[in-house]
Amino acid sequence: MKNVFSKIINAEAHKLVFFFFIIALIYVLLYEFWFTNIPGPSEISSKAGLITSKVSYSIIAASVFYFISQYIPIYRPKQQRKIKVLFEIYQRTLIIDSYLGSLKLKMRISQDDFKDSEIFGKAILSIDPDSPIDEFENWHQYLFYLKSKLLDVIRSMTFYHDYLSKEFLHELIIIEKQLLSPYTFEGHKTLGSSDLSYAEICIQELLVHNKHLQNLREKEFRKYDLQFQVDGTAYRKKYYN
């Protein structure tokens, strides 16, 4: 019972309005076609029935007004925009994962090895930070490039914070805050470190929070999966059929 009550309280406005509209409509139909034909046991019960019927009529009228004035012209267009924004956000979340997945490959760690501090620490110490990596002169340049790319993607996502869930936005902000630290991937300049140990905690934090972010993406994507499929089918039919 508690879970049902919690779901009702946390439901979106239009769902609550629709719920009370249905309840009021059922009551009015029962009252007009059944209750009025049953002799009331007392004058009080008759007045109570009349009052509740008037309240139900008011709820029905208010619900119809809400759907006409708010739901159709305002909520629906906003919801359509939200669907489009979230689809783009979830795609950009995959970009973050690809950047950090590439980092794991370069560090030669697999799956969730970053959760094991001992394994991760050995991987960090096995890297020569002055050695070239891909097109970069050394690991310091590569990590700074990674930091810049991740910040660009995250800022393009947090711009739409109104459309993001509280948990999803929270993870993005944690990652952004970690990257914005003046010591992130710059510790070798201030600490004079000869290895990548200065970046160990930062990299591990990024990988841990990215894992959580990707789990949230999968979970939230499923909520809108049907709508994404409908929109995708309509788009392909329009432009590629």
Side-chain angles (χ1 to χ4, degrees):
M1 186 65 182
K2 185 178 179 180
N3 291 334
V4 173
F5 182 75
S6 177
K7 288 181 179 179
I8 293 175
I9 292 298
N10 295 321
E12 295 178 333
H14 71 279
K15 293 181 180 179
L16 284 174
V17 172
F18 184 73
F19 172 77
F20 287 114
F21 170 79
I22 292 297
I23 296 298
L25 182 62
I26 292 173
Y27 179 80
V28 165
L29 292 175
L30 290 173
Y31 179 82
E32 294 294 346
F33 292 100
W34 186 25
F35 295 160
T36 54
N37 296 322
I38 301 175
S42 66
E43 185 178 352
I44 294 177
S45 63
S46 298
K47 287 184 177 181
L50 184 61
I51 291 171
T52 52
S53 67
K54 288 182 177 180
V55 171
S56 297
Y57 275 117
S58 298
I59 292 175
I60 292 172
S63 300
V64 172
F65 177 78
Y66 168 80
F67 280 107
I68 294 175
S69 65
Q70 297 292 320
Y71 181 77
I72 296 175
I74 298 176
Y75 178 82
R76 286 294 299 169
K78 184 177 180 180
Q79 189 70 3
Q80 288 299 317
R81 173 172 168 76
K82 178 181 179 179
I83 293 296
K84 293 177 182 178
V85 168
L86 287 179
F87 182 80
E88 182 63 26
I89 290 295
Y90 296 148
Q91 299 309 305
R92 294 182 190 185
T93 309
L94 292 175
I95 295 176
I96 294 176
D97 194 47
S98 68
Y99 278 129
L100 293 176
S102 178
L103 171 63
K104 287 195 293 183
L105 287 174
K106 290 176 173 57
M107 293 180 63
R108 296 179 182 178
I109 59 174
S110 58
Q111 300 301 324
D112 294 342
D113 282 351
F114 59 87
K115 293 181 179 180
D116 188 315
S117 297
E118 184 177 351
I119 295 175
F120 189 73
K122 289 180 180 179
I124 287 287
L125 293 176
S126 67
I127 297 172
D128 178 6
D130 295 318
S131 62
I133 179 75
D134 293 342
E135 71 273 23
F136 301 97
E137 184 178 336
N138 53 49
W139 273 80
H140 306 306
Q141 287 187 4
Y142 166 66
L143 290 176
F144 186 78
Y145 164 83
L146 178 65
K147 171 181 177 177
S148 302
K149 286 297 184 181
L150 289 174
L151 281 174
D152 287 343
V153 177
I154 290 172
R155 285 166 178 165
S156 72
M157 296 164 71
T158 53
F159 178 80
Y160 299 102
H161 58 87
D162 286 342
Y163 297 102
L164 304 179
S165 70
K166 183 178 179 180
E167 280 189 310
F168 194 92
L169 179 62
H170 184 64
E171 287 302 317
L172 282 177
I173 292 175
I174 289 176
I175 295 174
E176 183 181 41
K177 184 178 179 181
Q178 182 71 57
L179 291 169
L180 286 173
S181 169
Y183 300 104
T184 299
F185 302 150
E186 293 290 326
H188 66 287
K189 295 180 180 179
T190 56
L191 302 176
S193 178
S194 59
D195 52 37
L196 280 183
S197 58
Y198 70 89
E200 180 177 352
I201 295 177
C202 179
I203 294 176
Q204 191 173 33
E205 285 290 314
L206 289 176
L207 294 175
V208 167
H209 286 289
N210 175 62
K211 179 70 174 180
H212 191 199
L213 184 68
Q214 300 305 321
N215 289 337
L216 287 173
R217 178 194 62 79
E218 292 180 9
K219 178 182 176 182
E220 296 184 14
F221 190 94
R222 287 194 291 268
K223 296 180 183 178
Y224 305 97
D225 189 34
L226 180 60
Q227 186 61 50
F228 289 151
Q229 291 181 30
V230 171
D231 291 346
T233 301
Y235 182 86
R236 288 189 295 272
K237 184 177 180 180
K238 181 179 180 180
Y239 293 103
Y240 299 107
N241 191 7

